[in-house]
Structure formats: C-alpha cells, structure tokens
Amino acid sequence: MASVIEQCQVAPSPGSAAELTLPLTYFDHVWLAFHRMRRILFYKLPISRPDFIQTIIPTLKDSLSLTLKHYLPLAGNIACPQDWSGYPELRYITGDSVSVIFSESDMDFNYLVGNHPRDAKDFYHFIPQLAEPKDAPGFQLAPVLAIQVTLFPNHGISIGFTNHHVAGDGATIVKFVRAWALLNKFDGDERFLDKEFIPFYDRSVIKDPNGVGMSIWDKMKKYMHMMKMSDIVTPPDKVRGTFIITRYDIGKLKNLVLTRRPNLTHVTSFTVTCAYVWTCIIKSEAAIGEEIDENGVELFGCAADCRAQFNPPIPPSYFGNAIVGWFKEYDKVDAKRSVSVAGSPKLDFYAADFGWGRAEKLEFVSIDSGDSISMSLSKSKDSDGDLEIGLSLPKTRMNAFATIFTHGLSFL
C-alpha cells in the first residue's frame, strides 16, 4: 500500500549543540508507560513522482535538519537505566538523528481525507514505527520520534509522525511541526521562525517543593515490568470517522446548558462539545443492543495544560510535558467504560504550511489504541469557531453514533 522510495536518518544541522540532557519531571513520568502518539497530516498537492524526488524530498530533509537544531531532544533518545534504579532522561548527543521514510502510495487520496467512516487499518501504511531500543552502558536508549512522508502521485502528500509522549505534549509537538513547516516554506530562512517556536528547555521552572515527582516515580516503577520500550503497532478492526460541530451548534449547546444551570458564569466550547460527544457515544452502545449497567460508572478523561497555572507562568514554548490528568481514577472503572480526549482546539496543526497551503486533513491515529474510547478534538480546517471531532469505533457502533450525533444536533 506504500512502497519505500528512500529511508534515511536526518540529524540536526551543523552548528548544533554537541549534547543536551533533560531530566524528566513529574509531568513526564506518567507517560512512560503510555502508547506512542501517531498523527498524520494530509496536503493536497498535484505533484509527480520525479518532482517529489527532485524537489520535495531534498527541501524537507534540509528544513528538518535545521529544525532539529532547535529541537535537539527529538533527535535523541529516552535513556532508561537498565535496572530502573535511577531516573530516565531525555538525552541527545552528536550523531543522534531522526528516522525518516519517503514512500509512495496508489491509495485513493480523496478517500483517506474524507470525513465518512474509513477502515482504520488503511492509515497504518502512512505512519512510521519507532526504531528498536538499543543498549548502552547502564542504559537502554529508545528513540522518541520517527517521520514518514508519502506521495500520492498527482494528488497529495501525507506526513506521518510517531513520537513517544515522554518527549513532549501536544503543545510541544505542534510547535515542532509548525517550525519545520515554516523553515521548509521559507527555504530555511530562520528569520521567519518566531520566538514562540524556539523551545524553552529550563526544567528548573517546574518546582516540586513537596516531592510529588519522587512519589509519582515510586508508583510508576511498580508498572515497569509491564512497560514496553519497543514501539508495538497493532492496527485495530475499527473505522475512523470525522464529525464537524459548527460554532452555531456550539452556541445552542451553551445556551441549553445555561438554561438548566443559570448559576454558571462561563461554559466553554470544549466542555459542551466533549459532553455532547460523550453522551452520543454512550447512547450508541445501547443503540446496537449492548447491555448497559444503569448503575455503572462512566469516566471521561482529559488533560489540562498547566503552563499558565504556575506562579510565575511557565513560558508557552516550554519543551516537554506540562499537562496533567487524573489517572488514578482509571483504576476505579472498566477501561471499556471510559472515554478520553486527545488534542485541543488551542493546538492548530492545520496551520502547519510547508509551502503547500493549510493541511487538508488531520488524523489522530493513536486514538485507535487500547480498550477505552478516545476522541480527538481540533480546530476545524476551514471555519473559525467550528470544531472537528475524530473517532475510531467498530463499524456498527460508528454508524449508530453518526445517526445519534446528527439527529441530536437537529433538535437543538
């Protein structure tokens, strides 16, 4: 489905620092046992195979190398002590690099970028797998980023990213992607790289006077025997669907909430959208004949960006994880009774313009993972104020969800 044109390693450009080591904070520890994050950006670009090889590949490699000069940890590894006696850390040394695959596919580009249900397995041809960990004296080194660029001749290009969540949250990754896009668009001219895209590395801003980090690490070590440093990919038997909720419908949902809870002073688009999708997901299970325990606990999980909550605030360009969720609650419920959200309307992946215009479609492939249901949430590609929801469900349940979602909005 995707044949390899070239496989290479891209290192930070000359003049980069020789090495960089970042200790993990308590924001990072909880992601050690988490599945890898996988995203694909699709771009409409009617380009031929020769042009792709002669122009697109060289400029992407050059601009990526320049970008990695600023984002050194993404070219490095997670260094984990062999016996887990010490803290893991992010480590870059000269010679480290990012694995990049350039490939070609004859799949239907328009099918892949549609909103209708599409076979989830089809997207796994366009995301890379992280290389196997390698041993070093006293440590195991696991890469944190891999990239795959795929040509759909005369139709478009996709760029697939796989990263370990320990390296950074969505705010960090979107800044890296947009920085790469800017440098590619403007032929490597770093004057176009705004300050917001230059990472802030000082981990001392994460204060821990109460020893929260040590407490979390002690708990995490209990799960280390379950951890897989290898990147394991298992395409699911599901379909992927995309749903748009307009700002007009969001406004009506907000009004509905405020009429029932008049004491609320502010209701966010994020809250009402997640709440509406969650109820539709639960209703879809009943609609396909599944038995539901009326007294059972349903759990919805989301992570909150804490950068602005610190005193003083952490810089928005802080590199790493600065999001928090209440993971201990997951121990109290069946994973199949939980829904979580990936992404945020504040993170605009669609704005990553490599010189080919805004992306045509964003797919959060990693929402396929696990027994629980995950939804992705992002800004709409075309309209300010609209939101885009991504779901991965068994086909019959996706059909039920789509009917319930559309029907419910029509009655607002």
Side-chain angles (χ1 to χ4, degrees):
M1 303 293 276
S3 56
V4 175
I5 295 174
E6 179 184 349
Q7 186 163 5
C8 60
Q9 299 292 131
V10 176
S13 61
S16 303
E19 60 181 59
L20 177 64
T21 298
L22 296 177
L24 300 190
T25 74
Y26 53 86
F27 285 122
D28 302 315
H29 291 154
V30 294
W31 302 107
L32 276 168
F34 203 70
H35 61 73
R36 308 305 182 255
M37 304 305 294
R38 310 183 197 280
R39 305 173 181 88
I40 308 175
L41 285 168
F42 291 89
Y43 293 86
K44 279 192 173 180
L45 187 66
I47 191 168
S48 67
R49 189 178 194 272
D51 283 344
F52 179 71
I53 293 173
Q54 294 166 17
T55 62
I56 299 295
I57 291 179
T59 56
L60 281 177
K61 288 197 289 188
D62 288 346
S63 57
L64 176 59
S65 179
L66 278 173
T67 310
L68 290 172
K69 180 177 73 173
H70 300 283
Y71 288 82
L72 289 175
L74 295 181
N77 297 277
I78 304 169
C80 293
Q82 294 281 11
D83 58 0
W84 297 105
S85 59
Y87 284 101
E89 59 190 21
L90 286 176
R91 181 189 298 174
Y92 166 82
I93 60 173
T94 300
D96 288 342
S97 57
V98 173
S99 171
V100 183
I101 295 172
F102 294 96
S103 59
E104 178 183 12
S105 175
D106 59 1
M107 277 199 70
D108 186 338
F109 181 85
N110 291 325
Y111 160 82
L112 291 169
V113 301
N115 290 344
H116 60 284
R118 294 141 294 149
D119 193 332
K121 293 178 182 177
D122 289 339
F123 293 86
Y124 284 75
H125 303 289
F126 313 115
I127 53 170
Q129 193 166 350
L130 292 173
E132 284 294 305
K134 54 190 178 185
D135 291 331
F139 287 88
Q140 191 176 44
L141 303 177
V144 296
L145 175 68
I147 296 170
Q148 180 175 339
V149 183
T150 304
L151 168 70
F152 300 83
N154 303 311
H155 287 91
I157 288 173
S158 71
I159 306 182
F161 304 88
T162 297
N163 70 276
H164 201 305
H165 208 312
V166 166
D169 54 24
T172 292
I173 299 303
V174 74
K175 283 181 170 59
F176 159 71
V177 174
R178 291 185 60 181
W180 180 20
L182 280 168
L183 289 175
N184 192 76
K185 181 178 182 177
F186 294 108
D187 299 321
D189 190 337
E190 294 180 89
R191 290 175 297 178
F192 289 94
L193 205 58
D194 296 339
K195 185 179 179 181
E196 65 174 303
F197 299 119
I198 304 297
F200 179 85
Y201 286 121
D202 186 357
R203 294 281 164 109
S204 68
V205 298
I206 307 293
K207 306 299 182 185
D208 188 15
N210 300 316
V212 173
M214 184 62 72
S215 175
I216 292 177
W217 178 239
D218 287 341
K219 291 177 182 177
M220 286 298 300
K221 283 195 288 190
K222 297 177 182 177
Y223 298 96
M224 290 309 160
H225 67 284
M226 300 165 52
M227 275 187 52
K228 303 290 184 184
M229 292 302 290
S230 297
D231 181 20
I232 301 171
V233 181
T234 307
D237 188 17
K238 297 179 180 178
V239 294
R240 302 181 60 81
T242 306
F243 301 86
I244 307 298
I245 186 165
T246 67
R247 58 181 173 179
Y248 177 66
D249 285 330
I250 291 171
K252 289 194 289 186
L253 285 171
K254 288 181 179 180
N255 290 335
L256 179 63
V257 171
L258 290 172
T259 57
R260 297 182 179 181
R261 297 287 182 87
N263 292 331
L264 292 178
T265 57
H266 182 59
V267 180
T268 68
S269 299
F270 179 90
T271 301
V272 295
T273 300
C274 289
Y276 181 68
V277 172
W278 188 18
T279 59
C280 292
I281 288 172
I282 294 172
K283 290 176 181 177
S284 70
E285 188 172 22
I288 62 173
E290 295 288 335
E291 276 193 39
I292 298 177
D293 180 2
E294 295 293 336
N295 298 315
V297 176
E298 302 280 346
L299 179 68
F300 186 89
C302 64
D305 190 330
C306 296
R307 286 170 173 80
Q309 305 306 314
F310 273 68
N311 186 18
I314 300 172
S317 59
Y318 172 80
F319 182 99
N321 289 285
I323 55 176
V324 81
W326 318 106
F327 294 100
K328 64 180 182 180
E329 301 296 328
Y330 280 94
D331 293 336
K332 301 177 183 178
V333 297
D334 182 345
K336 295 178 181 179
R337 311 295 338 143
S338 67
V339 175
S340 60
V341 58
S344 166
K346 295 180 180 179
L347 306 178
D348 192 2
F349 277 96
Y350 279 113
D353 179 0
F354 285 81
W356 320 319
R358 286 174 65 86
E360 182 67 21
K361 192 67 186 294
L362 167 66
E363 291 286 346
F364 283 79
V365 179
S366 45
I367 65 172
D368 293 339
S369 302
D371 293 329
S372 62
I373 294 174
S374 292
M375 59 176 277
S376 64
L377 190 62
S378 61
K379 281 186 176 180
S380 172
K381 175 191 67 174
D382 299 315
S383 179
D384 189 33
D386 295 356
L387 297 180
E388 190 172 294
I389 300 141
L391 278 175
S392 178
L393 296 169
K395 187 174 183 179
T396 54
R397 192 162 180 191
M398 182 68 81
N399 292 337
F401 173 89
T403 299
I404 294 166
F405 179 87
T406 305
H407 184 73
L409 292 178
S410 69
F411 276 88
L412 287 176

